[in-house]
Amino acid sequence: MPQHPTYFVAPTSVVRTIWGKADTVLFIFAGAAAEFALNKAVDWLYFTGRLPADPLARLFSTVEYARRIVFAERADAEKAIDTITAIHAAVEAKRGMAIPAWAYRDVLFMLIDYSIRAFEALERPLSSAEKQEVFAVFTRVGQRMSIPELPASHAAWLLARRQHLTEHLEHSAFTADLYQQYARHLGPVRYRLLLQAQRVVAPTQVSRLLRLGRIPWLLPVLGVYRHAQHLPLSRWARASLLPSEYREKILRLDIVPSAPLSVAT
């Protein structure tokens, strides 16, 4: 009898539903772009120079890596995670110091939090079991990377996440520079849309430090979107959210990844 493949994330998992749709992934992208700019360890992302040079490409590579892991067979997913670990180790060796463990946890916590926030903003509330599933999947990524002191449950993660948001964020010169790069690479209209998406998904601490405000005009639009998301117009609008060179990448976010991945650091 043929062997059925073993996946890192079960085919029936809500995590695949979340990361298998371009709209949700774009909102995860928006939330991560906001929080990355505030993180006290953002200097590590500036060390290689790739983030300020092209923040959209850098963030897209992170998104694509996460999607490969979510949809890959277990062995391939673990190989991808090991590659991420090796990339970070090389950067640490080049800089001659270690990335703080809390900074690794911060990124992992972002993937958990914005997966939940983006899906709930665009689709529906997640059940407690589904939130636990999101937490469990990305915690396994962290365990494979040997990240220490990971929370043991979703409830414990909520407490740790709150602590991280309080202690590890600040508005710095890196924040201002990164937002200038967002504006430069997106253009005025798309940049305003990014800020609106961030208002929808950002935690209170992130919104306050970035002075995003808490009444996004995008909320009524999302109500219409829920009824029109399968129409061709929705596909066109989604593809217009980022510059034309990213259009094909955005449309591919609705397709389960299959080809091998190479990611710039």
Side-chain angles (χ1 to χ4, degrees):
M1 291 181 64
Q3 292 288 317
H4 294 290
T6 302
Y7 293 98
F8 190 80
V9 178
T12 56
S13 172
V14 70
V15 178
R16 283 189 169 221
T17 303
I18 294 168
W19 283 84
K21 190 172 182 183
D23 306 295
T24 314
V25 173
L26 285 172
F27 270 73
I28 295 170
F29 174 102
E35 195 166 329
F36 266 129
L38 292 169
N39 194 280
K40 289 181 180 179
V42 73
D43 58 297
W44 278 96
L45 297 176
Y46 270 75
F47 178 70
T48 63
R50 292 185 182 274
L51 181 68
D54 193 344
L56 302 184
R58 184 65 182 81
L59 286 165
F60 244 109
S61 72
T62 302
V63 163
E64 289 174 348
Y65 233 115
R67 275 171 45 83
R68 295 291 180 190
I69 293 166
V70 167
F71 292 102
E73 292 185 26
R74 180 178 295 277
D76 291 335
E78 290 177 346
K79 207 174 294 183
I81 297 167
D82 293 344
T83 300
I84 295 171
T85 305
I87 288 169
H88 286 90
V91 174
E92 290 174 324
K94 194 177 292 185
R95 193 172 181 180
M97 57 192 295
I99 298 171
W102 59 261
Y104 280 110
R105 288 193 294 272
D106 279 346
V107 176
L108 204 66
F109 288 4
M110 274 190 253
L111 290 172
I112 297 168
D113 200 7
Y114 292 115
S115 293
I116 294 170
R117 288 173 179 271
F119 186 80
E120 292 194 326
L122 292 172
E123 301 289 342
R124 60 170 176 81
L126 289 169
S127 68
S128 296
E130 288 172 326
K131 290 178 182 179
Q132 175 65 33
E133 173 67 12
V134 175
F135 162 80
V137 164
F138 289 107
T139 296
R140 284 194 285 115
V141 174
Q143 289 168 340
R144 180 75 185 185
M145 293 179 68
S146 299
I147 299 174
E149 300 177 26
L150 294 174
S153 67
H154 179 257
W157 171 80
L158 285 172
L159 295 175
R161 173 67 169 155
R162 196 172 302 130
Q163 180 183 359
H164 277 225
L165 287 169
T166 301
E167 297 178 0
H168 300 165
L169 302 182
E170 65 179 359
H171 195 290
S172 67
F174 291 117
T175 310
D177 180 72
L178 198 47
Y179 266 81
Q180 286 177 359
Q181 300 308 321
Y182 292 160
R184 185 167 70 85
H185 284 83
L186 286 170
V189 175
R190 293 188 182 99
Y191 178 66
R192 290 191 184 94
L193 281 171
L194 171 70
L195 295 179
Q196 285 294 311
Q198 289 176 342
R199 285 188 180 106
V200 172
V201 297
T204 302
Q205 295 92 327
V206 172
S207 185
R208 176 174 52 79
L209 286 169
L210 291 172
R211 298 178 181 174
L212 293 174
R214 295 304 298 173
I215 311 177
W217 54 254
L218 193 59
L219 279 178
V221 177
L222 293 180
V224 175
Y225 158 85
R226 290 188 182 96
H227 300 286
Q229 58 181 299
H230 301 298
L231 299 177
L233 178 64
S234 174
R235 187 177 171 90
W236 170 84
R238 170 201 308 156
S240 301
L241 289 176
L242 289 176
S244 57
E245 59 265 35
Y246 293 96
R247 198 157 294 165
E248 187 179 339
K249 287 187 175 183
I250 294 170
L251 296 177
R252 283 207 307 266
L253 293 176
D254 278 329
I255 302 169
V256 173
S258 57
L261 178 72
S262 63
V263 174
T265 59

